[in-house]
Amino acid sequence: MIGFVKLPFSASVLAPTWIRPSDWIDISSVANNEINLLVTQGLATSYAVTTSSGTYSIDWGDGTVETGRVSGTTYQHSHTTGGTVCSQGYSTWKVRIYGASGNITSFAIKRHTLTTAKHFIPILWAVFGTNNLTTFSEAFYQTTGNIASCPLLVSVTLPSLTYCTSFWNAFQDAWSMVDLQIPASGWGAVDNLVNAFANCRSLATLNLPSSWGNITSLMYTFQSCMSLRNLTMPSSFGIVQSCYGTFQDCQSLQNVVFPTSWGVVTETNNMFYGCFALTSVSLPATMSSSITSHAGMFCQTANLSSVTYWNKLGHATNQIDFSDLITQTEAYSQAISIASRIFRIGINGVSGALLKVTSIRLTASGSTYGGSSPQVNVSYTSLAAAALNTLFGDLPTVTGKTINITGCPGAATCTRSIATGKGWTVTG
C-alpha cells in the first residue's frame, strides 16, 4: 500500500483519514472541467477522455504538453526520466487534463499499445473537477478481456455526479485504494453500482451519501473488499432491486447498518457469502413484497452469532428461495423462525461441524416447496427430537417433497410419522 492511514482518537466512531505523503506532489487543487492525476513510473499511462465537443490538452508533467487532443481517442505516454522522487523511493509526475472546449463527460483508462498482457497503469492519486460526467463506468478498470487496472491507486476525489448515469466497474481491482471521497450531493443519475468497488482490498471504510438515488443494482458492489469492516447504508434502499453478492467475500466485515425496510429489493443471494468475520446483523424490520430469493445469503459466515428479524426475510404470500440460507456457520446458535412462504430452504451445517441452532420454525401456511429435493434441508444442525417434531408440525401437507435431517442429534428418536403423514419423505 502506498501512503498511510491516520486513525483519529476514537477509531471505532470516526473513519480513518488518508494523509498524503508530504513529499508527494500536491494535486488536490483542481479547476472546473479539469482532471489531475499523480502517476509513478511503470509501463505507461493510457486513457481516453470524452468531451461534449471540441478538443482538450494534456500536460504530462515531464515537459511534454499536447494540445488539440481529440475526444474519445486513447492517448498514452511513458514517463522514463526526471520526475519528483519521494521518500518511498519512486518518481512521480503530475498529469493535468485541461483546456477542454466542451464539457469533459467521461474518463477511462486503456491498455497501452506496448503490451498485449494485462496493463497495470501506475496512477497513484486522482482528483476530478469534472462536474458534467455522464459515465464513470470502467474509469479505473478496463473490463473487456480484463486487460487494464490501477492496483497502485490510493486516493480519489470524485466530482458532482449530477449527470452521471453509470458507475459499474469504476474501481474494480484498485487494490491499494484507501480513500474515496464521494460528493455529499450523492449519486446523481447513476443507475447501478455493479462491481463498482469489487476487489478494493485496502478500502477499510467508506462514507456513503445519504441516499442511493436512482441506483437499481448493488450486485457485487463491494465484493472482496477484504479490509472493509463497517458500513452504514443510506437510510432507505430507494429503488435498489438487486443485492446479489453485495458483500461477498468481504472477509473482515463485522457490521452493516441497514435501513428499516427492504424497499423493492428482489434478491439478496450470496449477500454475505464468505464474510467470515461477520458476527451480527440486524436486518430491515419489514418484509419486501418484491423479494424472490435469499439463497446463500449467510453461507460460510463462520463467526455469525446473531441475526435480528429472521421473520422479516421473504414475504408472507410470495414463494421465496431460501436455498443455502445459512450454512457452514459453526458459531450460530440462535433460534431461527421464518415467517415467509417458502420455495426451498437450507439451514444446515456439514459433517463434523454442526450448525448449533437448536430451534427452526417455518411458520407460514401456503408454502408450495416447489424447489428441487430436498426442499427442506436442516442436516447437521443441533435439532433434538422435540425440535424436529415441532418443525415437522410446521410443514404443510404435500406430495413428493423431502426434508433432510441427516446428522441431527434427534434424527434417530424423532417422530417421523408427523412429516410422512403429510406426504413428506424424511431422509437421514
Side-chain angles (χ1 to χ4, degrees):
M1 183 189 303
I2 299 173
F4 55 95
V5 172
K6 179 181 179 181
L7 292 177
F9 179 75
S10 179
S12 62
V13 177
L14 300 175
T17 301
W18 176 71
I19 298 176
R20 172 182 62 89
S22 59
D23 50 7
W24 274 18
I25 303 169
D26 189 358
I27 66 166
S28 60
S29 179
V30 64
N32 183 41
N33 211 33
E34 293 186 5
I35 301 170
N36 287 342
L37 306 173
L38 185 67
V39 304
T40 186
Q41 63 259 47
L43 178 62
T45 303
S46 302
Y47 58 81
V49 168
T50 302
T51 59
S52 59
S53 62
T55 60
Y56 65 95
S57 299
I58 309 169
D59 182 343
W60 291 102
D62 59 359
T64 303
V65 177
E66 299 175 348
T67 60
R69 301 296 85 185
V70 178
S71 175
T73 302
T74 298
Y75 293 102
Q76 53 194 33
H77 186 77
S78 297
H79 292 90
T80 57
T81 60
T84 300
V85 179
C86 63
S87 57
Q88 287 87 351
Y90 48 83
S91 295
T92 59
W93 295 264
K94 175 184 176 180
V95 176
R96 180 180 172 224
I97 300 166
Y98 68 102
S101 54
N103 291 324
I104 292 177
T105 58
S106 74
F107 167 90
I109 65 167
K110 302 292 181 180
R111 185 172 64 183
H112 199 289
T113 55
L114 289 174
T115 181
T116 57
K118 184 171 182 179
H119 183 187
F120 296 125
I121 296 177
I123 300 174
L124 301 173
W125 182 15
V127 181
F128 289 82
T130 46
N131 293 317
N132 291 279
L133 292 175
T134 59
T135 179
F136 207 69
S137 292
E138 299 186 299
F140 292 96
Y141 180 83
Q142 188 176 358
T143 305
T144 306
N146 189 26
I147 57 177
S149 63
C150 295
L152 301 180
L153 184 67
V154 174
S155 177
V156 177
T157 299
L158 293 175
S160 167
L161 298 171
T162 300
Y163 306 106
C164 188
T165 60
S166 187
F167 207 87
W168 53 272
N169 290 101
F171 295 104
Q172 184 165 336
D173 285 2
W175 301 335
S176 300
M177 187 167 69
V178 297
D179 178 59
L180 177 61
Q181 302 297 320
I182 302 172
S185 56
W187 298 104
V190 171
D191 62 10
N192 78 73
L193 291 176
V194 176
N195 289 322
F197 310 105
N199 214 16
C200 289
R201 301 176 185 177
S202 300
L203 190 65
T205 60
L206 183 63
N207 291 322
L208 294 171
S210 59
S211 169
W212 288 120
N214 296 310
I215 292 167
T216 60
S217 181
L218 298 178
M219 182 180 289
Y220 298 123
T221 298
F222 302 101
Q223 182 187 25
S224 297
C225 286
M226 301 293 191
S227 298
L228 188 65
R229 294 189 178 183
N230 301 284
L231 191 69
T232 298
M233 304 279 265
S235 58
S236 166
F237 271 112
I239 59 173
V240 171
Q241 297 174 26
S242 178
C243 289
Y244 195 114
T246 301
F247 301 104
Q248 184 170 326
D249 293 327
C250 289
Q251 296 182 3
S252 299
L253 187 68
Q254 297 176 336
N255 180 59
V256 176
V257 177
F258 278 95
T260 58
S261 170
W262 286 111
V264 295
V265 171
T266 61
E267 59 183 355
T268 64
N269 300 38
N270 296 342
M271 189 175 191
F272 294 105
Y273 186 104
C275 292
F276 301 127
L278 189 69
T279 58
S280 64
V281 174
S282 182
L283 299 171
T286 58
M287 287 183 171
S288 168
S289 60
S290 304
I291 283 282
T292 60
S293 181
H294 291 299
M297 187 174 180
F298 295 104
C299 187
Q300 295 188 24
T301 51
N303 288 295
L304 184 67
S305 60
S306 174
V307 176
T308 304
Y309 295 129
W310 277 119
N311 62 342
K312 301 302 181 181
L313 285 178
H315 194 258
T317 57
N318 299 339
Q319 306 291 329
I320 308 302
D321 187 357
F322 290 98
S323 300
D324 299 320
L325 174 63
I326 178 168
T327 66
Q328 299 182 51
T329 308
E330 288 187 70
Y332 196 84
S333 61
Q334 282 187 330
I336 296 177
S337 180
I338 303 293
S340 169
R341 289 190 178 183
I342 298 169
F343 178 74
R344 187 171 187 265
I345 192 164
I347 301 172
N348 60 281
V350 295
S351 179
L354 288 185
L355 181 68
K356 295 181 177 61
V357 61
T358 57
S359 174
I360 298 173
R361 300 294 307 275
L362 308 177
T363 60
S365 60
S367 293
T368 62
Y369 293 99
S372 59
S373 180
Q375 288 76 23
V376 177
N377 182 8
V378 293
S379 61
Y380 299 106
T381 60
S382 299
L383 298 183
L388 285 171
N389 293 341
T390 299
L391 176 59
F392 294 157
D394 288 338
L395 299 175
T397 299
V398 296
T399 301
K401 308 301 180 183
T402 300
I403 179 170
N404 184 358
I405 63 171
T406 301
C408 294
T413 56
C414 64
T415 309
R416 298 185 179 216
S417 60
I418 299 173
T420 59
K422 297 179 179 182
W424 287 82
T425 297
V426 181
T427 61

